[in-house]
Amino acid sequence: MKKLFIIAAFMTAFFITEKAQAQLNLNVGYAPELMTAKTPTHDTSLFYHGISLGLNWTFNLSDNLSLTTGAQYRINLRNSVEHIYLDTVFSHHITNERQTLIDVPITLNYYIAASEKITISPFVGPMLSWGITGETKEQWLYPIGTESRHEWYGDNSVINRFNVYGVAGIKVSFYRFTLSLGGRYGFLDLNKRNTGTSKKAYGFFASFGHSF
């Protein structure tokens, strides 16, 4: 079902682009995410490496303005290794986390012609995000090997899967290639269970694309 959702999102992008005769752009990027949990006593931040694959289309509104929307498949990964001293021995603790998401950005772009072939476009707008999967795996390798898994969304999955980001950045277009740099800030509290803790996500991205 999850794979069908992803395929449907990208096929919809192709269909709308063909009908509207808009410019299509396929891009891949590095999009790390920082998740910060805040409590009345202390804050905790976890860094996730992010990889994104996106397909978007741009509709021209005027000579200098355009609207861009699309679908993006994003993966967040975090791996950590700890050596914890327990009693008289060191225990090796490994944590592996993986989250997959579908993002739908909607940005307003302003064109600035730097030369005949190069265009600079600042952009800003919202981005809707839906979490497909989220899992934490912990391993204790010494002195006794154990493993545990934790699903992020659990019983409250429908509410916890959604987030709304604010996105801003700049895109440089040269010939049919694009380079985009920017940041995103998540507005919604991702922790829906513990009322004493708030958890938000934000990050930056750098993507390289090709327009068709």
Side-chain angles (χ1 to χ4, degrees):
M1 186 66 184
K2 297 169 184 175
K3 292 182 179 180
L4 290 176
F5 178 83
I6 297 171
I7 295 172
F10 283 95
M11 289 301 295
T12 301
F14 276 116
F15 177 78
I16 294 177
T17 301
E18 181 180 357
K19 295 299 181 181
Q21 297 181 351
Q23 186 181 55
L24 179 69
N25 182 272
L26 179 65
N27 55 80
V28 61
Y30 178 61
E33 187 124 285
L34 188 66
M35 295 188 186
T36 302
K38 296 184 178 182
T39 68
T41 57
H42 68 280
D43 299 344
T44 303
S45 296
L46 297 177
F47 179 83
Y48 294 80
H49 291 284
I51 303 170
S52 65
L53 175 64
L55 185 68
N56 57 59
W57 56 97
T58 299
F59 303 91
N60 292 326
L61 304 178
S62 67
D63 291 339
N64 297 103
L65 289 175
S66 67
L67 187 69
T68 298
T69 186
Q72 174 180 268
Y73 180 68
R74 184 158 52 96
I75 302 174
N76 288 330
L77 301 169
R78 188 180 78 90
N79 301 311
S80 67
V81 179
E82 298 177 293
H83 302 286
I84 303 173
Y85 189 75
L86 297 174
D87 296 329
T88 58
V89 297
F90 278 98
S91 178
H92 298 268
H93 180 233
I94 299 176
T95 303
N96 296 302
E97 294 188 307
R98 177 188 176 97
Q99 181 190 28
T100 58
L101 309 101
I102 283 288
D103 302 324
V104 180
I106 304 172
T107 61
L108 185 65
N109 319 287
Y110 182 78
Y111 291 116
I112 302 173
S115 68
E116 184 178 350
K117 297 294 184 180
I118 299 177
T119 302
I120 300 174
S121 306
F123 59 85
V124 65
M127 183 176 77
L128 305 179
S129 184
W130 189 76
I132 303 173
T133 61
E135 182 186 61
T136 298
K137 182 175 72 173
E138 293 185 276
Q139 294 175 294
W140 298 88
L141 301 182
Y142 184 84
I144 300 174
T146 61
E147 179 178 307
S148 63
R149 294 175 181 267
H150 168 67
E151 294 290 340
W152 288 20
Y153 302 118
D155 297 334
N156 213 13
S157 60
V158 175
I159 299 175
N160 284 358
R161 291 176 187 270
F162 289 95
N163 197 1
V164 178
Y165 292 84
V167 179
I170 189 168
K171 180 173 70 175
V172 179
S173 303
F174 47 102
Y175 294 93
R176 288 187 172 273
F177 297 99
T178 60
L179 176 64
S180 299
L181 302 172
R184 64 186 181 278
Y185 181 84
F187 291 107
L188 300 186
D189 185 0
L190 300 179
N191 189 351
K192 306 296 193 303
R193 297 180 180 180
N194 187 348
T195 57
T197 302
S198 65
K199 184 178 181 182
K200 291 188 177 181
Y202 55 94
F204 70 90
F205 55 87
S207 64
F208 182 76
H210 185 273
S211 299
F212 300 91

